C-alpha cells in the first residue's frame, strides 16, 4: 500500500522461520509471500471468516442469503430463507487472515460475493429465517398495516370478525359458499380494507366452487373461528362452569359449525373432578419460551398431566431432535395410575 515500505525476506530469514515453526522445507509449496500489516480500519473490523457445511455453501452459491440475527444478551443464530441454525463459539489455535491478492500454487481463485440486507426491524431482531417469521406471523394472526406488522387489539379483532360473520348470516349463506368480494365491499365503510382483507383470509379459505358469475366462493374455517370465539367467552371470567360454557360456546358459533373440546387445546384447562366441572382460560402463548421455566409453571398449575393434556403446551418448543416425548423425559417424571400415564414435576415428592 502507498506510504508503507515493503519488507523483503532473505532465504536465510525464511529458513529460520521454518525451523522455529518446526516445519520441513520439503513439505512447503514452492511459493512464498510476505504479509504486511497495516493499521486496522473500521471496514476491516466488519469481516469474519465463516466455515460452512455443504448445504449452506450450496445456498450461497445459488444466490441465497445467510443472515445473523439476535439482540444483545441473546445467543446469535444464522438464518437461511427457511431454516434457523444455532451459532456456537469455538476456540482454535490457528489464526486466519483475510488477505487480498493472495496467490495459490497452481490454482486460480475467482472472487465473487454479494450482500443482501433486510431493512424490516423484525428480520433484524427476531431469531428466525424470513420464511419462518412470515409463517409464524400468519399463524399468530398478525396484521400488516402500512408496511408494519401489528396485532389487532382483542376487542377490535372480535368486532371485525363479528362484522364478517353477521354479514354471512344476514345473507343466509352456507358456511362453505361465501362471496368474498361482496363481503369486503359491503363492510369497507366499517373497517379499513387492508385490515378487512387480512382478517377475512385468517378465517376463510377458497373452495373449488364458483357462483353463477364464475367467482370463487370461500369456506369459513371452523376450528379457527370456534377457538377465537371460545377465547372471547373465556376471557370474560375466571373459572367457568363447564356445562354452561359449552352451551354458550355452541350458541356463539355460526350455524353449521360444531364445537368440540379438541378446539380448546392450548387455550383452556378443564377440571372434570371438581363439582361442578369447570374450565378456565390458560393460553399457551402466555407461557415463557424457556422450556425449564415453562415446565415449572405447568406443574405449578397442575400437579399431574396426561400426555394429551400437556402436549399443546409443549409442542411449539419441540424440535427434530427433541420431540414432545423427549422433552418430557428430560424435564418431567412419568408415572402410571390405573393404567393411565401421567407426568409430574421431576423432583416432586
Amino acid at each position: 500500500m502507498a506510504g508503507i515500505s515493503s519488507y523483503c525476506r532473505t532465504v536465510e530469514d525464511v529458513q529460520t522461520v521454518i525451523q522455529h515453526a518446526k516445519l520441513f522445507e520439503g513439505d512447503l509449496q514452492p511459493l512464498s509471500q510476505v504479509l504486511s500489516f497495516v493499521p486496522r480500519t473500521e471496514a476491516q473490523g466488519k469481516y469474519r471468516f465463516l466455515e460452512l457445511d455443504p448445504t449452506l455453501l450450496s445456498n450461497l452459491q445459488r444466490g441465497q442469503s445467510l443472515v445473523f440475527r439476535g439482540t444483545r444478551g441473546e445467543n446469535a443464530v444464522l438464518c437461511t430463507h427457511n431454516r434457523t441454525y444455532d451459532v456456537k463459539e469455538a476456540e482454535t489455535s490457528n489464526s486466519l487472515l483475510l488477505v487480498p491478492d493472495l496467490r495459490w500454487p497452481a490454482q486460480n481463485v475467482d472472487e465473487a460475493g454479494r450482500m443482501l440486507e433486510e431493512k424490516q426491524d423484525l428480520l433484524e431482531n427476531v431469531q428466525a429465517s424470513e420464511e419462518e417469521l412470515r409463517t409464524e406471523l400468519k399463524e399468530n394472526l398478525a396484521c400488516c398495516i402500512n408496511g408494519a406488522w401489528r396485532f389487532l387489539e382483542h376487542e377490535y379483532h372480535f368486532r371485525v370478525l363479528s362484522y364478517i360473520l353477521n354479514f354471512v348470516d344476514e345473507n343466509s349463506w352456507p358456511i362453505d359458499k361465501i362471496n368474498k368480494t361482496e363481503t369486503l365491499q359491503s363492510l369497507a365503510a366499517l373497517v379499513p380494507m387492508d385490515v378487512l382483507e387480512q382478517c377475512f383470509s385468517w378465517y376463510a379459505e377458497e373452495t373449488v366452487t364458483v357462483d353463477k358469475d364464475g367467482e370463487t366462493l370461500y369456506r369459513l374455517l371452523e376450528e379457527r373461528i370456534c377457538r377465537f370465539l371460545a377465547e372471547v367467552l373465556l376471557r370474560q371470567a375466571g373459572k367457568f362452569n363447564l356445562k354452561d360454557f359449552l352451551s354458550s360456546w355452541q350458541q356463539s358459533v355460526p350455524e353449521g359449525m360444531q364445537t368440540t373440546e379438541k378446539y380448546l387445546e392450548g387455550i383452556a384447562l378443564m377440571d372434570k373432578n371438581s363439582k361442578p366441572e369447570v374450565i378456565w382460560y390458560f393460553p399457551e402463548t402466555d407461557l415463557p419460551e424457556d422450556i425449564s421455566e415453562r415446565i415449572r409453571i405447568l406443574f405449578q398449575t397442575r400437579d399431574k398431566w396426561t400426555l394429551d393434556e400437556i402436549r399443546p403446551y409443549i409442542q411449539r418448543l419441540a424440535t427434530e431432535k427433541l420431540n414432545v416425548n423427549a422433552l418430557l423425559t428430560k424435564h418431567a417424571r412419568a408415572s402410571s395410575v390405573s393404567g393411565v400415564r401421567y407426568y409430574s414435576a421431576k423432583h416432586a415428592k
Side-chain angles (χ1 to χ4, degrees), residues 227 261-262 264-273 278 280 282-284 287 294-295 298-299 301-315 324-325 328 340-344:
R227 283 176 65 86
E261 291 183 9
K262 184 172 179 59
L264 299 173
E265 291 182 352
I267 62 172
L269 292 180
M270 291 175 278
D271 185 353
K272 294 188 176 182
N273 294 319
V278 295
W280 66 97
F282 192 74
E284 180 273 333
L287 294 175
R294 178 173 291 218
I295 289 288
L298 289 175
F299 289 126
T301 302
R302 174 176 285 176
D303 293 337
K304 295 182 183 293
W305 298 71
T306 65
L307 179 60
D308 288 340
E309 289 171 340
I310 202 170
R311 180 187 288 111
Y313 295 97
I314 302 294
Q315 184 65 57
V324 170
N325 287 328
L328 289 173
V340 179
R341 192 172 183 82
Y342 288 93
Y343 292 91
S344 57

Side-chain angles (χ1 to χ4, degrees), residues 248-265:
S248 299
W249 185 28
Q250 181 61 56
Q251 294 174 27
S252 72
V253 303
E255 185 178 353
M257 289 189 178
Q258 181 61 52
T259 59
T260 171
E261 291 183 9
K262 184 172 179 59
Y263 292 162
L264 299 173
E265 291 182 352

Side-chain angles (χ1 to χ4, degrees), residues 151-209:
F151 287 106
L152 300 181
E153 193 275 331
H154 183 75
E155 291 185 4
Y156 181 71
H157 187 153
F158 176 47
R159 189 188 315 163
V160 177
L161 177 58
S162 296
Y163 288 148
I164 295 173
L165 298 183
N166 290 338
F167 187 76
V168 171
D169 183 60
E170 289 168 5
N171 284 277
S172 300
W173 287 336
I175 58 175
D176 60 349
K177 294 182 180 178
I178 312 300
N179 187 300
K180 176 181 178 180
T181 302
E182 187 175 342
T183 302
L184 298 185
Q185 290 177 347
S186 299
L187 299 178
L190 301 174
V191 182
M193 184 56 75
D194 55 350
V195 174
L196 186 59
E197 285 185 320
Q198 291 177 80
C199 192
F200 186 91
S201 72
W202 297 337
Y203 296 105
E205 65 180 1
E206 285 188 357
T207 69
V208 295
T209 307

Side-chain angles (χ1 to χ4, degrees), residues 284-295:
E284 180 273 333
T285 52
D286 284 356
L287 294 175
E289 292 296 310
D290 180 76
I291 183 63
S292 298
E293 181 64 13
R294 178 173 291 218
I295 289 288

Side-chain angles (χ1 to χ4, degrees), residues 95-112:
S95 297
L96 301 177
L97 302 176
L98 185 64
V99 182
D101 302 321
L102 183 68
R103 291 174 294 157
W104 297 88
Q107 180 181 7
N108 292 322
V109 178
D110 294 326
E111 295 184 56

